[in-house]
Amino acid sequence: MKILLANDDGIYAPGLAAMEKALRAIGDVTVIAPATEQSGVGHSITFLTPLVCKEIYDGDRRRGYAVEGSPADCVKLGVVELMDERPDLIVSGINGGLNAGINVLYSGTVGAAIEGAFFGITSIAVSLEWDEHAQFDRAAEMARQVIAQILERKSDSPRLYNLNIPTPATKLPPGEAELKIVPMGVMRYGEHFVKRKDPRNRDYYWATGDPRPEHGEEETDLSALEKGYLTLTPLHFDMTERAQIDEMKPWNLKVLD
C-alpha cells in the first residue's frame, strides 16, 4: 500500500514522525508536509506564489518533502508530482490538538484529508488532544489500528474520516480505550476575545476559544471526547443542501433588470 502522509504542524512535528513510524507497518509511507506550521489555514491553497519544495534528510534517511505551502498544497503536489505512484491512502496528522466540532472547518489537518478525498482517495485526518507531554507514539499506534480496521471494513468507494484521540485514552492499558462513531458538533463557540494594547498603543485582540460549547441531546464528537472516547466521524466535502433544491425549483426565480 502506498501512503501519503501530511499534516499542518510542519515537517518537524513529533506527531508526524510518530504517525510515519506507525504507518510503516501497513504500507510504504511518503511524507509531504508544510515547511512551517500551518494550523488553522483550513483548505487554503497557494496559487499566487511558487510552491518551493525541498527534500529533508536525517543523516542518510530521507525524512520527506518540505513544501512552502498549505497542507492541501502538500497533498495536491504529492499526488500530482512527487509520488511515483498514486497513493492508496492519505493520512493527515497526528495533529497536536483536537480537531472536533466546528474546528473541523478551520483545520489544516482536515483540509489536507479533504484534498485527498477530492482525488478520490480514502483519506483520514488524525488529531490528539493537546498536552505538554503528549504520547504521540501511543496515539499513532492507536490510530494505525483504527485505520487498518477502516480499510478492512469500508466499502470499495473512497471515504473521508476524522479521527480524534483524547489524552486520557492514551494512558489506558492496551485494549481498554473505546471508540465512538459520531457526528461532528456544530454548536458555536470560541466567540470571546481579550482586548489589549501593543507598545505603540494600538488595539489588538487575542482569541480565547471561550466559551466552551454546550452539548445537546445528540452525542457528538465534542461530548464523546469529553467522556474519554476516541471519536471517528465520516465527512463529506459536498456542501450542497440537496433537500432545498427541490424545494426551491417552484420559486421561479428570475433576474430582474
Side-chain angles (χ1 to χ4, degrees):
M1 176 177 289
K2 301 295 182 181
I3 304 171
L4 191 164
L5 176 62
N7 75 345
D8 74 357
D9 286 337
I11 187 74
Y12 297 106
L16 185 75
M19 196 74 253
E20 178 191 6
K21 179 181 177 182
L23 287 174
R24 285 194 203 129
I26 61 174
D28 181 15
V29 183
T30 299
V31 174
I32 306 172
T36 58
E37 184 174 346
Q38 298 289 310
S39 297
V41 302
H43 195 203
S44 66
I45 59 171
T46 303
F47 63 93
L48 295 178
T49 58
L51 282 173
V52 178
C53 180
K54 180 181 179 181
E55 287 188 89
I56 304 296
Y57 286 83
D58 287 334
D60 294 331
R61 188 186 82 85
R62 188 177 74 181
R63 177 187 288 268
Y65 295 92
V67 178
E68 296 281 353
S70 70
D73 287 330
C74 294
V75 172
K76 187 187 296 286
L77 196 62
V79 174
V80 175
E81 293 288 341
L82 298 178
M83 295 187 67
D84 294 333
E85 298 179 44
R86 179 183 174 91
D88 306 296
L89 173 70
I90 292 173
V91 178
S92 180
I94 298 175
N95 187 67
L98 296 173
N99 281 305
I102 60 173
N103 283 340
V104 169
L105 303 174
Y106 307 127
S107 167
T109 303
V110 178
I114 291 173
E115 186 65 35
F118 279 175
F119 282 97
I121 300 169
T122 291
S123 301
I124 303 169
V126 183
S127 303
L128 172 64
E129 185 177 5
W130 169 254
D131 186 83
E132 287 286 352
H133 305 287
Q135 298 186 33
F136 284 110
D137 287 338
R138 172 73 175 127
E141 180 57 26
M142 298 170 81
R144 182 198 65 78
Q145 294 172 12
V146 173
I147 291 169
Q149 293 175 74
I150 289 173
L151 296 177
E152 289 176 357
R153 302 177 187 183
K154 76 175 189 64
S155 68
D156 292 336
S157 301
R159 291 289 185 262
L160 172 63
Y161 303 93
N162 185 35
L163 174 65
N164 280 285
I165 304 172
T167 294
T170 64
K171 300 177 181 180
L172 293 173
E176 290 194 10
E178 296 183 64
L179 180 147
K180 284 197 173 186
I181 299 174
V182 287
M184 61 179 275
V186 293
M187 299 76 71
R188 282 194 59 81
Y189 62 99
E191 300 170 351
H192 287 183
F193 295 84
V194 174
K195 182 179 180 180
R196 295 176 179 170
K197 295 283 187 181
D198 73 7
R200 296 185 180 181
N201 204 38
R202 297 173 299 187
D203 293 335
Y204 72 92
Y205 298 84
W206 198 289
T208 66
D210 300 322
R212 295 176 66 83
E214 295 183 2
H215 304 309
E217 294 182 1
E218 181 185 35
E219 184 91 288
T220 69
D221 52 2
L222 295 171
S223 58
L225 285 163
E226 283 193 359
K227 298 173 185 175
Y229 295 101
L230 283 76
T231 64
L232 183 65
T233 302
L235 302 176
H236 201 293
F237 52 77
D238 183 352
M239 299 176 70
T240 307
E241 181 55 79
R242 297 186 180 277
Q244 286 196 33
I245 292 179
D246 289 337
E247 176 188 333
M248 294 171 67
K249 284 178 180 178
W251 290 6
N252 194 30
L253 299 179
K254 298 178 180 179
V255 178
L256 304 177
D257 293 337

